Amino acid sequence: MKRPFIHDNFLLSNEPARELYHHYAATQPIIDYHNHLSPGQIASNHQFGDLTELWLSGDHYKWRAMRANGVSERAITGNASAEEKFTAWAATVPYTLRNPLYHWTHLELLRDFGIDQILNRDSANTIWREANAQLPKLRVHDLLERHQVRVLCTTDDPADSLDHHHAIRKSKLKTRVNPTYRPDKALHIHQPTNFNAWIERLEQTAASPIKTFDDLLSALKNRHDAFHALGCRASDHGLEACYASSCSHAQASHIFNAARVGKICTPEERSIYSSFLMLEFGRWNAARGWAMQLHLGALRNTNSRLLGSLGPDTGFDSIGDFPQVSALSAFLDALDRTGELPRTILYNLNPTDYYAFAAMTGNFQDGTLPGKIQLGSGWWFLDQKEGIEAQLNALSNLGLLRRFVGMVTDSRCFLSFPRHEYFRRVLCNLLGQDLVSGELPSDLSLIGKMVEEICFTNVKDYFGFELPT
């Protein structure tokens, strides 16, 4: 009998790897501490209308593959029917061989729908009908419970009301859902029209007028406190590179006032203003015991034509080659000098930065918390097998792999939780190879304990999450 593509020992190429995965990794619950899932859909326990809404809507990974395969925008983000869009994706899947999408697609079909068929144009209609028939029993809460998601952290703007999070707390959902503080728009001083529109939103949410720079700081701190009350234990910052320029309060106030009357700042003014705010965020995090997540290195919105018609986050970002190390070091050092460096997770998007970032983590460990400064998991373009292995190897060689806080989905799709399984299989296979070669002691209980810690225990302890009972 022909073995299915996704089988029990998928990605596990040796016997120790199989032992580690099945006995230590597979049983661990999930803490997904960084994603872009919709709090509104969680609060309403959303019922998806069809497989396209659930699986393809908002997934720029798939959109990029479809465009590369010659699919028209009409069948990706346009006005084609849901079934036509799904069929276009199904016809693209055979062309994703050796792309992680091929693995993820079939893991998700199997884990969430029990479908072990290979997806292609010929099987599209059968899979479309079979999956859609199951959707009434696969609402958002069902998916979270199916994957044993104990804690999930969405990504939220300070100007968001958090009403959905209040509603989630009152629901019977067994997963603990926490917001994450993402104040990136506070730094967009170089786009005064958008910046001022965002200030108006923040004024309404914080219930306070924002006339001065101090008013802005007060409103942002007010929201930081409100996020904490709802279980937030981390901020998140998407930057090309760290800001680390010297900036006085008077300078930041002057730049803010100019933006409020529509003046476009210079790149230098944006840098010093952003540096001031980033240090404030770091100090607030340290005082609250939060983690600061720095996602560094994305070159965003490179296709101006399609950005204009489709907007951001639609598949036109890339890996940037920005200088990282000097500014990152200066930023961390500025907080460390005053004893206000929070626990910090450094995510690099350029694979050439793995070792530089891994080395940087060791410079600011201070003995107050195991693994206080973390090398983040393989992120975005690097969350595939090769990128995951590169991250694990850099961390192993320059830090303490056993203190690693593990994987995140970084996804907008509720079918993406098998990415944790994918990571766990890659992790166990890597460790199994070391056991076979004799580079690790032949002690499965020792190595298995490390696997359990990386998959669940470390992240629980690092963030201090309150787990659901």
Side-chain angles (χ1 to χ4, degrees), residues 101-127:
L101 283 166
Y102 199 82
H103 288 169
W104 297 342
T105 292
H106 294 100
L107 271 172
E108 290 161 10
L109 284 174
L110 182 60
R111 297 297 179 243
D112 286 306
F113 299 100
I115 296 172
D116 63 0
Q117 284 182 274
I118 296 296
L119 179 60
N120 52 42
R121 187 185 296 274
D122 292 338
S123 64
N125 182 258
T126 299
I127 291 174

Side-chain angles (χ1 to χ4, degrees), residues 3 10 21 46 61 81 242 250 263 330:
R3 186 173 69 171
F10 176 66
Y21 177 74
H46 183 69
Y61 286 82
S81 70
C242 269
K263 183 179 179 181

Side-chain angles (χ1 to χ4, degrees), residues 20 22 28 79-80 88 93 101 190 196 265 278 291 332 341 402:
L20 290 171
H22 293 298
Q28 296 302 310
N79 61 1
V93 168
L101 283 166
H190 59 302
N196 286 318
C265 65
M278 285 299 298
L332 298 176
L341 177 62
R402 193 169 174 180

Side-chain angles (χ1 to χ4, degrees), residues 12-42:
L12 304 173
S13 64
N14 55 79
E15 188 55 37
R18 296 167 194 141
E19 288 284 327
L20 290 171
Y21 177 74
H22 293 298
H23 294 286
Y24 297 96
T27 58
Q28 296 302 310
I30 289 173
I31 294 179
D32 197 53
Y33 59 92
H34 175 70
N35 59 72
H36 299 276
L37 296 173
S38 166
Q41 290 183 332
I42 300 171

Side-chain angles (χ1 to χ4, degrees), residues 112-308:
D112 286 306
F113 299 100
I115 296 172
D116 63 0
Q117 284 182 274
I118 296 296
L119 179 60
N120 52 42
R121 187 185 296 274
D122 292 338
S123 64
N125 182 258
T126 299
I127 291 174
W128 171 257
R129 288 186 287 105
E130 186 174 344
N132 283 335
Q134 296 184 46
L135 289 185
K137 295 183 179 180
L138 287 178
R139 299 171 74 107
V140 166
H141 292 189
D142 300 316
L143 292 166
L144 295 175
E145 291 181 20
R146 170 169 294 192
H147 290 286
Q148 298 187 73
V149 182
R150 300 289 298 281
V151 179
L152 183 149
C153 299
T154 60
T155 302
D156 309 84
D157 191 289
D160 292 343
S161 69
L162 300 182
D163 288 346
H164 295 309
H165 281 277
H166 284 285
I168 293 167
R169 282 298 176 99
K170 295 176 182 178
S171 73
K172 297 180 180 180
L173 178 62
K174 296 177 182 178
T175 301
R176 177 75 66 186
V177 180
N178 299 329
T180 300
Y181 189 82
R182 176 87 175 231
D184 287 0
K185 291 180 180 178
L187 309 184
H188 292 180
I189 200 83
H190 59 302
Q191 300 172 334
T193 300
N194 294 338
F195 179 74
N196 286 318
W198 175 79
I199 289 287
E200 291 178 7
R201 284 186 56 221
L202 183 61
E203 285 180 318
Q204 295 176 358
T205 306
S208 178
I210 300 175
K211 304 298 184 184
T212 68
F213 182 58
D214 282 333
D215 291 340
L216 174 63
L217 292 177
S218 178
L220 288 168
K221 182 60 169 63
N222 171 288
R223 299 307 296 153
H224 198 274
D225 294 341
F227 273 58
H228 187 83
L230 275 173
C232 179
R233 295 297 179 265
S235 68
D236 184 55
H237 310 269
L239 308 172
E240 292 181 350
C242 269
Y243 293 104
S245 302
S246 176
C247 181
S248 68
H249 181 281
Q251 287 174 305
S253 181
H254 174 76
I255 296 166
F256 172 83
N257 291 337
R260 291 293 279 149
V261 296
K263 183 179 179 181
I264 298 175
C265 65
T266 67
E268 181 183 7
E269 287 173 328
R270 181 191 179 193
S271 178
I272 63 174
Y273 168 88
S274 297
S275 298
F276 188 98
L277 276 183
M278 285 299 298
L279 289 174
E280 285 294 292
F281 299 145
R283 294 178 186 119
W284 299 346
N285 287 3
R288 283 291 195 182
W290 288 14
M292 174 175 275
Q293 299 181 92
L294 300 176
H295 284 88
L296 303 173
L299 179 64
R300 297 184 184 273
N301 304 320
T302 61
N303 188 320
S304 57
R305 176 179 61 86
L306 289 172
L307 173 67

Side-chain angles (χ1 to χ4, degrees), residues 341-449:
L341 177 62
R343 57 196 79 192
T344 302
I345 305 177
L346 307 177
Y347 300 87
N348 62 288
L349 194 56
N350 192 324
T352 62
D353 291 326
Y354 266 133
Y355 270 76
F357 278 42
M360 187 65 67
T361 65
N363 299 338
F364 294 97
Q365 309 288 9
D366 59 13
T368 61
L369 175 75
K372 177 180 177 179
I373 313 300
Q374 290 274 327
L375 177 65
S377 61
W379 165 50
W380 199 342
F381 295 105
L382 302 179
D383 60 359
Q384 25 67 17
K385 182 174 182 287
E386 185 174 297
I388 290 170
E389 289 177 342
Q391 187 269 351
L392 294 172
N393 285 328
L395 175 54
S396 297
N397 284 315
L398 299 182
L400 299 179
L401 175 62
R402 193 169 174 180
R403 291 298 186 182
F404 179 38
V405 294
M407 191 62 180
V408 296
T409 63
D410 187 34
S411 177
R412 291 171 169 79
C413 177
F414 286 95
L415 292 187
S416 292
F417 295 112
R419 293 187 193 178
H420 284 270
E421 175 185 343
Y422 181 80
F423 164 80
R424 292 172 182 186
R425 288 177 179 273
V426 172
L427 169 69
C428 291
N429 191 63
L430 193 66
L431 295 173
Q433 291 170 352
D434 287 348
L435 282 163
V436 169
S437 68
E439 296 178 60
L440 288 175
S442 184
D443 185 343
L444 281 175
S445 63
L446 172 65
I447 310 304
K449 179 66 173 175

